[in-house]
Amino acid sequence: MNYCFGVDIGGTTVKIGLFEETGTIVEKWEIPTNTLADGEAILPDIAFSLKTKIEERKLSEEDILGIGVGVPAPVTAEGIVNGSANLGWKYKEVKKEMEELTGLKAYIGNDANVAALGEMWKGGGAGEKNMIMVTLGTGVGGGVIIDGKMLVGNNGAGGEIGHICVNYDETEKCGCGSRGCLEQYASATGIARLARKRLAKNEDATVLREKNINAISAKTVFD
């Protein structure tokens, strides 16, 4: 039996899955995303977690076909990231570093693009060759599949809808450095940001005032 790992790097947690090559999930878990020091510990932490799981399940490297990694940033065809607003990365050769850390073949893509590929294979887009997927989390992402292939774009930013400007009057900066991005309003961090701004603006009664204003999250707002 051959296996592969799927890794979804988020701004808060890294979600990891061990899969059979047929796509059947064997086990899933998560680890914190350490974004300190420009996120230098993120890939080593992932590599350590994968090696630990291989040892736990008494697998060999020959049993593992490879690692698929989704990153919340534009990714070039060579697996290079030229900056990630939510991870602290600037220039990062993710594919090269991941392969050096694990000794396994790694495939790197924008998280929304690879999520769209997964949906096309085993999810809501099964049987379709043209589809668009929107992902909501710490940020906002978009994945575009045309004729069964990811739309990567010239700089790896194909389908990156989270940084479309939707408010030209915004004064606060997005994590990407621009202002008025969709991500500043529709993401988990954006929803929490808007709630804190509203609470600071007036004294309207709300159950949110029972919380520490800095502890308000998107889940708190929805609850």
Side-chain angles (χ1 to χ4, degrees):
M1 174 71 70
N2 288 321
Y3 301 88
C4 55
F5 287 108
V7 179
D8 176 33
I9 304 179
T12 306
T13 60
V14 178
K15 296 176 177 62
I16 307 173
L18 174 64
F19 298 82
E20 295 177 358
E21 62 180 317
T22 58
T24 301
I25 190 163
V26 176
E27 184 179 353
K28 59 182 178 180
W29 67 100
E30 60 183 57
I31 61 175
T33 305
N34 184 351
T35 57
L36 297 175
D38 294 334
E40 65 180 16
I42 295 174
L43 295 183
D45 285 351
I46 293 170
F48 177 78
S49 185
L50 298 184
K51 288 180 178 179
T52 300
K53 189 59 61 178
I54 289 171
E55 292 171 3
E56 282 179 5
R57 289 193 166 267
K58 296 180 172 56
L59 301 173
S60 68
E61 289 188 2
E62 289 70 32
D63 295 323
I64 310 298
L65 296 174
I67 309 163
V69 183
V71 179
V75 181
T76 70
E78 296 74 35
I80 296 172
V81 171
N82 284 296
S84 173
N86 294 322
L87 302 181
W89 288 349
K90 295 177 175 58
Y91 177 85
K92 195 85 166 167
E93 296 185 16
V94 183
K95 175 180 172 65
K96 181 173 179 287
E97 289 187 37
M98 200 76 238
E99 290 181 344
E100 289 175 349
L101 286 166
T102 64
L104 298 169
K105 191 74 175 175
Y107 301 85
I108 318 298
N110 169 266
D111 56 357
N113 282 343
V114 297
L117 274 183
E119 287 295 327
M120 183 182 72
W121 183 31
K122 292 289 185 180
E128 302 295 333
K129 293 299 181 183
N130 300 286
M131 57 173 283
I132 296 173
M133 179 176 180
V134 178
T135 60
L136 297 174
T138 303
V140 174
V144 180
I145 305 295
I146 299 175
D147 197 24
K149 297 179 181 178
M150 292 188 299
L151 176 65
V152 177
N154 188 50
N155 297 305
E160 191 68 78
I161 65 170
H163 299 287
I164 292 173
C165 183
V166 296
N167 180 6
Y168 291 100
D169 298 320
E170 180 61 65
T171 57
E172 294 184 20
K173 281 188 176 183
C174 175
C176 73
S178 296
R179 291 179 174 85
C181 296
L182 176 63
E183 189 166 293
Q184 288 184 274
Y185 311 97
S187 67
T189 50
I191 290 168
R193 180 184 77 92
L194 293 177
R196 288 193 294 269
K197 283 187 69 174
R198 180 63 182 267
L199 289 173
K201 187 176 181 180
N202 56 52
E203 298 298 324
D204 290 351
T206 166
V207 293
L208 288 175
R209 295 197 187 281
E210 300 170 8
K211 304 282 185 180
N212 180 323
I213 193 168
N214 294 317
I216 289 175
S217 66
K219 184 177 186 303
T220 310
V221 174
F222 280 109
D223 287 345

